[in-house]
Amino acid sequence: MNIKKPDFSEKETVKSLFQRKFPGAEIDFGFVSIPGGERLPKEGTTSHTEHEYAYIVKGSLSGESGGNPFEISAGEASYIPAGEKHWCVNKSKSACELVYAFIKA
């Protein structure tokens, strides 16, 4: 078993903990700490070729995914399909922390 603890520099928001390639799939598992008032991305939307699964550990986010607004808080999980445009913002003063898994089939 490999155990890794996130270690962030002041400028780092996303920390990939494990990346693995398997026959027919790739997985990137990591941790994100989004400072209060931070928007991801800074402008516009983002999308990626992987399916995104996330679990909010602390705090909350609001944003838009696939043209639909959302609010998500600690203890809740989300799924964003590959290719879906999305963005989020942490409207609070405290950091929002989440774990994610990007899965590419």
Side-chain angles (χ1 to χ4, degrees):
M1 175 190 311
N2 291 330
I3 298 174
K4 291 187 180 182
K5 181 178 180 179
D7 180 24
F8 291 97
S9 70
E10 288 184 23
K11 295 182 179 182
E12 197 171 25
T13 300
V14 178
K15 179 70 175 178
S16 180
L17 298 174
F18 297 100
Q19 294 178 333
R20 297 286 189 264
K21 290 185 180 184
F22 300 96
E26 294 178 27
I27 297 172
D28 180 4
F29 179 79
F31 179 84
V32 180
S33 180
I34 303 169
E38 187 78 15
R39 184 186 192 280
L40 295 176
K42 296 274 187 202
E43 297 179 359
T45 61
T46 188
S47 66
H48 27 78
T49 59
E50 305 88 359
H51 298 286
E52 178 183 333
Y53 296 86
Y55 178 78
I56 307 295
V57 176
K58 173 183 159 187
S60 62
L61 297 170
S62 59
E64 191 173 287
S65 184
N68 299 306
F70 70 84
E71 299 274 338
I72 188 167
S73 299
E76 297 179 321
S78 67
Y79 164 70
I80 301 173
E84 184 165 289
K85 293 181 180 182
H86 58 282
W87 62 270
C88 67
V89 63
N90 178 355
K91 293 181 180 178
S92 77
K93 293 180 181 180
S94 301
C96 176
E97 298 176 352
L98 64 94
V99 292
Y100 70 85
F102 286 142
I103 300 175
K104 184 174 184 176

